[in-house]
């Protein structure tokens, strides 16, 4: 077996090159020695087409006939890119596997026909990795509205069927499959996972970087196992596409990282996300944004309600002020959206009066916008042609009182360009909260495509529209929201500034969302709502603010109704947050108590840097309690709150490399600590 080892960035990839298909048989940190030998028989690429399925037949996407028949042609190394070309001799199918070295490795497949003829593709993997064993722990996360980032651990060996394996018996054909359907890329599960080997210091992490349908699966083979990553499939997503010499196809990109344990993999994923992010100069600003929605106006803004909020937000030190949903509508607005003109009843003297107040305080104005939908009762629905919308069999797709724009359409894009350009030009808008509360279903068959491929093309057109928008408006910041974090992926987040991590309104339930978010998202992009409520206890008020500090504090609440003591506490929280912001885009996450789960009583998140770390702790039960964290001894000081008046203090004690924390508060409480290495 000829071996190709390719080292770039933090990883070394090992490929088998011989008279069979190319196989990826090793993904390790460049500094790590070779570990167990992965299955050397698992092809790097799996591909199915009509007339060319699987052998043997299963629900799995491995053992594809075309994948087994691919043969190595050549490979090319150019700078930090590796391209491996294979061809299938009977059909003329050519597959180029592309690897881009960043912090980890980014990979995808480019598929074409080498000559006449056509194939109707029904599946193409972005990447398949051979595994040495399925004796591993799988970390993955459920995701749903107001209950995002719910991570769990499963022993993979207990998920996959374990049957007799020897030369006279078959290997189990079971799989652990995770599939996303429709346009919410994280509507049910996150496109992220980690495998931690149970018998060796080795862990493998991945993310699928697509804003629509995707699929990954793990299974066992005779000599190990496999991890398969892909975009939409025919079996799961009604996706297929015709491939000819003139119509090539490129899969969605995925990223791989490796480490020795869970925290090292998530640190590597953090570095990889920073490497793929298209960070513009305006992104360096990292402002504190006040938004009027959560626990505040909740979609009912008016001049009378907004002006005192704007004054109060400026007084505590907010940099941006975003007017959320409802600014464009009189009465019920759900199924009438689309024109995006300011309401004249909500703003009798015009929206300009409110925007001018924001500008007067030196803040940047922002607006909520749901650009991809048109209400079925909106006059715009009749003005735009059917081609502007996602359709099935010629009829517009309608969900929850909305039609869904098709961003492949020139008319749809012109409508959105005109809308955004008008709002920026008329009001000086510097921030948009782009929301998306309506799913597309499986897609659109417009132009004779499969439903899944129509959706894939729309997803990619949306990304292209965002790119063009930011090119025209380089000073514009955009928040990504989809009923909270229902579209939290790195196709979107490689482009956008901020991600709303939830719509959750209960501070105790927001704590695990904040703590687990860095497993899926850069901390400098994680927009955590901090919405203190006037009249609550000092600990409750503090708890709500702590939720926002280890990320991007997204401020809300009736600041104009708060007492001077409450406002002072908010100012103190913003001061503490801004200190974190100075280092935030260099910090990496770790979880001293393990990756937080939805029901944990104690939750701990560390954001670690070379010189300073911030440790956020939540205790979600009433009464005294102690917890010990395995941490390297360091200097420790309260970061927030620092004024302990009326707060029962926590105590901290070091024993060797362990920190014991005790709280005597009679109610749930939270703190942020600053740790520095002793000089």
């Amino acid at each position: 077996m000829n071996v190709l080892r390719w080292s770039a960035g933090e990883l070394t990839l090992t490929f088998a090159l011989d008279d069979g298909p190319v196989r990826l048989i090793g993904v390790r940190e460049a500094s790590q020695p070779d570990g167990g030998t992965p299955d050397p028989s698992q092809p790097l690429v799996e591909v199915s087409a009509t007339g060319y399925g699987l052998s043997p037949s299963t629900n799995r996407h491995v053992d594809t006939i075309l994948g087994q028949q691919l043969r190595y042609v050549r490979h090319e190394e150019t700078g930090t890119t590796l391209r491996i070309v294979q061809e299938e001799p009977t059909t003329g199918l050519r597959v180029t596997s592309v690897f881009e070295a960043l912090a980890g490795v980014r990979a995808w497949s480019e598929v074409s026909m080498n000559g006449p003829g056509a194939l109707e593709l029904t599946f193409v993997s972005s990447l398949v990795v051979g595994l040495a064993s399925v004796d591993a722990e799988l970390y993955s996360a459920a995701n749903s509205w107001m209950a995002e980032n719910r991570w769990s651990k499963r022993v993979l060996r207990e998920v996959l069927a374990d049957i007799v394996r020897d030369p006279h018996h078959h290997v189990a054909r079971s799989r652990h499959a995770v599939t996303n359907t429709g346009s919410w890329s994280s509507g049910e599960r996150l496109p992220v996972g980690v495998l931690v080997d149970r018998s060796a210091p080795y862990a493998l992490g991945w993310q699928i970087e697509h804003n629509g349908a995707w699929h990954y699966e793990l299974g066992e083979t005779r000599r190990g196992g496999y991890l398969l990553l892909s975009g939409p499939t025919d079996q799961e997503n009604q996706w297929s596409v015709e491939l000819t010499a003139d119509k090539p196809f490129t899969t969605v990109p995925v990223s791989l990282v490796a480490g020795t344990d869970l925290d090292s993999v998530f640190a590597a994923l953090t570095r990889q996300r920073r490497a793929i992010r298209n960070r513009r100069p305006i992104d360096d600003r990292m402002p504190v944004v006040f938004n009027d929605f959560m626990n505040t106006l909740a979609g009912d803004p008016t001049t009378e309600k907004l002006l005192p909020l704007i004054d109060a937000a400026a007084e505590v030190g907010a940099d941006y002020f975003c007017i959320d949903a409802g600014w464009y509508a009189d009465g019920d607005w759900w199924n009438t959206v689309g024109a995006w003109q300011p309401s004249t009843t909500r703003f009798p003297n015009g929206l300009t009066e409110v925007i001018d107040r924001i500008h007067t305080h030196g803040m940047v104005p922002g607006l909520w916008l749901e650009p991809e939908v048109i209400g079925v009762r909106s006059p715009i629905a009749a003005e735009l042609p059917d081609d502007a919308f996602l359709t099935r069999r010629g009829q517009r797709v309608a969900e929850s009182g909305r039609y869904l724009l098709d961003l492949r359409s020139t008319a749809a894009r012109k409508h959105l360009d005109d809308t955004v350009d008008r709002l920026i030009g008329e009001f000086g808008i510097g921030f948009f909260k782009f929301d998306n509360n309506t799913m597309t279903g499986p897609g659109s068959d417009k132009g004779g495509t499969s439903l899944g491929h129509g959706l894939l093309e729309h997803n990619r057109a949306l990304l292209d529209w965002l790119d063009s928008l930011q090119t025209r408006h380089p000073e514009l910041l955009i928040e990504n929201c989809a009923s909270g974090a229902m579209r939290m992926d790195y196709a979107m987040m490689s482009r956008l500034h901020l991600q709303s991590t939830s719509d959750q309104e209960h501070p105790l339930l927001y704590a695990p969302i904040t703590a687990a978010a860095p497993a899926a998202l850069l901390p400098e992009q994680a927009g955590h709502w901090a919405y203190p409520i006037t009249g609550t206890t000092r600990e409750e008020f503090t708890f709500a603010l702590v939720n926002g500090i280890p990320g991007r504090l997204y401020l809300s609440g009736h600041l104009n109704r708060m007492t001077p003591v409450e406002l002072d506490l908010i100012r103190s929280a913003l001061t503490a947050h801004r200190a974190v912001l100075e280092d935030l885009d260099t910090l990496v996450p770790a979880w001293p108590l393990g990756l937080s789960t939805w029901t944990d009583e104690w939750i701990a998140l560390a954001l670690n840097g070379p010189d300073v770390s911030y440790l956020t702790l939540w205790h979600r039960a009433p009464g005294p309690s102690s917890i010990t964290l395995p941490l390297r001894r360091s200097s420790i000081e309260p970061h927030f709150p620092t004024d302990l008046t009326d707060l029962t203090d926590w105590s901290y004690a070091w024993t060797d490399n362990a920190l014991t924390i005790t709280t005597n508060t009679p109610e749930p409480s939270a703190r942020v600590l600053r740790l520095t290495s002793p000089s």
Side-chain angles (χ1 to χ4, degrees):
M1 180 172 64
N2 295 323
V3 170
L4 166 65
R5 283 191 175 86
W6 181 66
S7 295
E10 299 178 7
L11 292 184
T12 295
L13 272 56
T14 304
F15 301 90
L17 309 177
D18 50 28
D19 56 357
V22 176
R23 285 95 66 203
L24 176 55
I25 61 171
V27 180
R28 306 194 72 81
E29 288 182 296
S31 60
Q32 279 185 304
D34 288 342
T37 303
D39 180 3
S41 66
Q42 173 56 53
L44 169 65
V45 177
E46 296 283 10
V47 53
S48 300
T50 303
Y52 301 90
L54 307 174
S55 181
S57 290
T58 67
N59 287 326
R60 309 201 307 183
H61 288 291
V62 293
D63 300 319
T64 59
I65 292 172
L66 291 173
Q68 293 286 350
Q69 294 176 175
L70 286 171
R71 294 296 180 264
Y72 170 79
V73 176
R74 64 181 179 275
H75 70 274
E76 305 163 355
E77 296 183 51
T78 306
T80 57
T81 301
L82 171 68
R83 301 173 65 87
I84 299 176
V85 181
Q86 299 184 81
E87 292 182 358
E88 198 286 314
T90 63
T91 59
L93 174 68
R94 174 182 290 170
V95 181
T96 302
S97 297
V98 184
F99 299 88
E100 181 183 26
L102 298 166
V105 168
R106 204 174 191 216
W108 61 90
S109 300
E110 298 174 353
V111 191
S112 60
M113 293 294 288
N114 183 24
L119 285 173
E120 183 71 14
L121 296 178
T122 56
F123 176 80
V124 185
S125 63
S126 295
L127 182 64
V128 190
V129 184
L131 304 175
S133 163
V134 295
D135 183 22
E137 294 170 342
L138 170 64
Y139 290 81
S140 62
N143 208 59
S144 59
W145 183 52
M146 294 200 290
E148 292 85 350
N149 290 304
R150 301 194 318 278
W151 286 84
S152 61
K153 177 180 71 175
R154 304 181 71 178
V155 176
L156 189 58
R157 174 73 278 169
E158 296 174 359
V159 176
L160 301 175
D162 190 6
I163 63 176
V164 175
R165 298 179 305 284
D166 64 36
H168 303 288
H169 295 86
H170 294 290
V171 174
R173 299 177 188 174
S174 60
R175 65 174 181 167
H176 176 73
V178 180
T179 302
N180 180 72
T181 61
S183 56
W184 277 359
S185 58
S186 53
E188 293 182 295
R189 306 289 302 185
L190 293 184
V192 185
V194 176
L195 274 181
V196 179
D197 196 303
R198 302 179 76 196
S199 58
Y202 176 73
L204 181 69
W206 64 88
Q207 65 181 21
I208 302 173
E209 295 157 4
H210 180 52
N211 55 328
W214 50 262
H215 176 84
Y216 73 78
E217 66 182 49
L218 295 134
E220 188 170 15
T221 58
R222 183 166 296 281
R223 299 177 62 180
Y226 69 90
L227 165 68
L228 176 146
L229 307 172
S230 80
T233 75
D234 182 34
Q235 179 174 279
E236 285 84 9
N237 307 109
Q238 303 181 51
W239 175 87
S240 63
V241 67
E242 184 184 46
L243 187 73
T244 68
D246 297 327
K247 293 191 295 184
F249 175 72
T250 299
T251 68
V252 305
V254 302
S255 281
L256 279 183
V257 298
T260 56
D261 57 19
L262 186 69
D263 280 351
S264 68
V265 163
F266 279 122
L269 275 171
T270 300
R271 293 190 293 271
Q272 176 72 354
R273 290 164 185 157
R274 287 179 177 139
I276 68 174
R277 184 183 175 196
N278 180 23
R279 184 163 177 168
R280 304 164 298 147
I282 187 62
D283 291 308
D284 294 340
R285 185 169 186 185
M286 291 199 286
V288 172
V289 180
F290 181 93
N291 181 292
D292 68 30
F293 190 90
M294 202 66 71
N295 280 348
T296 314
L297 302 186
D300 189 28
T302 64
T303 300
E304 182 181 8
K305 294 176 181 179
L306 283 169
L307 292 183
L309 267 182
I310 293 167
D311 295 343
E315 185 182 348
V316 299
D319 302 304
Y320 283 43
F321 190 103
C322 181
I323 302 169
D324 208 278
W327 59 269
Y328 38 78
D330 302 320
D332 180 27
W333 49 262
W334 182 261
N335 60 13
T336 62
V337 296
W340 308 115
Q341 295 286 349
S343 166
T344 56
T345 56
R346 292 181 182 276
F347 311 108
N349 298 322
L351 182 61
T352 300
E353 179 183 10
V354 175
I355 298 294
D356 285 348
R357 182 71 69 92
I358 297 171
H359 282 301
T360 297
H361 284 294
M363 294 187 293
V364 175
L367 287 176
W368 180 96
L369 202 65
E370 196 170 359
E372 298 162 65
V373 299
I374 302 291
V376 297
R377 292 179 52 227
S378 170
I380 302 298
E383 296 174 12
L384 290 172
D386 287 341
D387 180 67
F389 300 91
L390 295 174
T391 59
R392 293 182 66 173
R393 297 183 180 179
Q395 292 190 328
R396 296 181 183 182
V397 175
E399 290 288 332
S400 190
R402 277 99 171 275
Y403 296 125
L404 308 165
L405 288 173
D406 186 337
L407 271 294
R408 298 173 295 178
S409 161
T410 301
R413 288 182 63 144
K414 183 178 187 306
H415 165 69
L416 293 189
D417 285 341
D418 290 348
T419 296
V420 172
D421 292 351
R422 170 175 53 82
L423 293 172
I424 292 174
E426 185 173 352
F427 300 112
I429 298 301
F431 178 88
F432 280 108
K433 176 180 178 179
F434 279 174
D435 210 342
N436 181 258
N437 295 298
T438 310
M439 291 187 289
T440 60
S444 173
D445 56 9
K446 186 193 303 180
T449 70
S450 65
L451 290 172
H453 194 66
L455 179 59
L456 175 65
E457 289 184 334
H458 162 72
N459 296 143
R460 288 173 164 171
L462 170 61
L463 300 177
D464 182 70
W465 177 70
L466 291 171
D467 290 341
S468 65
L469 173 60
Q470 292 180 320
T471 298
R472 292 202 314 279
H473 301 288
E475 297 299 304
L476 178 68
L477 296 182
I478 301 173
E479 173 197 342
N480 187 40
C481 182
S483 288
M486 300 298 97
R487 196 161 62 181
M488 184 167 57
D489 62 78
Y490 265 84
M492 298 292 285
M493 295 316 300
S494 65
R495 294 164 164 82
L496 302 183
H497 179 77
L498 187 68
Q499 169 69 56
S500 179
T501 53
S502 187
D503 280 352
Q504 177 55 248
E505 294 180 284
H506 197 299
L508 290 182
L509 294 179
Y510 213 121
I513 295 171
T514 291
L521 189 67
L522 285 175
E524 61 265 32
Q525 292 181 295
H528 305 312
W529 289 90
Y531 35 59
I533 300 172
T534 186
T536 55
T537 70
R538 189 74 178 268
E539 288 290 4
E540 289 173 322
F541 202 92
T542 298
F543 198 109
L545 290 168
V546 166
N547 286 338
I549 289 175
R552 296 291 300 282
L553 191 151
Y554 201 14
L555 187 61
S556 193
H558 287 286
L559 305 186
N560 55 307
R561 301 178 185 175
M562 293 182 179
T563 67
V565 171
E566 290 171 337
L567 291 174
D568 282 344
L569 196 53
I570 292 175
R571 293 188 190 95
S572 177
L574 293 189
T575 298
H577 176 59
R578 286 198 165 93
V580 176
L581 287 179
E582 292 178 6
D583 300 302
L584 190 58
D585 58 1
T586 64
L587 304 178
V588 296
W591 293 268
L593 296 175
L595 189 56
S596 56
T597 67
W598 193 246
T599 58
D600 288 344
E601 176 183 336
W602 277 96
I603 297 172
L605 167 66
L607 295 175
N608 295 327
D611 301 315
V612 63
S613 296
Y614 295 94
L615 176 63
T616 305
L617 297 151
W618 296 264
H619 181 238
R620 296 198 293 167
S625 182
S626 294
I627 194 76
T628 299
L629 287 68
L631 292 172
R632 186 177 61 187
R633 183 184 286 269
S634 58
S635 299
I636 185 170
E637 62 184 40
H639 187 67
F640 178 78
T642 53
D643 178 6
L644 301 178
T645 305
D646 298 330
L647 286 171
T648 304
D649 198 11
W650 291 20
S651 62
Y652 316 100
W654 288 101
T655 304
D656 296 325
N657 283 327
L659 175 64
T660 298
I661 298 166
T662 301
T663 172
N664 293 306
T665 60
E667 57 186 316
S669 53
R671 300 288 187 271
V672 184
L673 307 178
R674 188 175 188 269
L675 308 180
T676 53
S677 300
S679 56

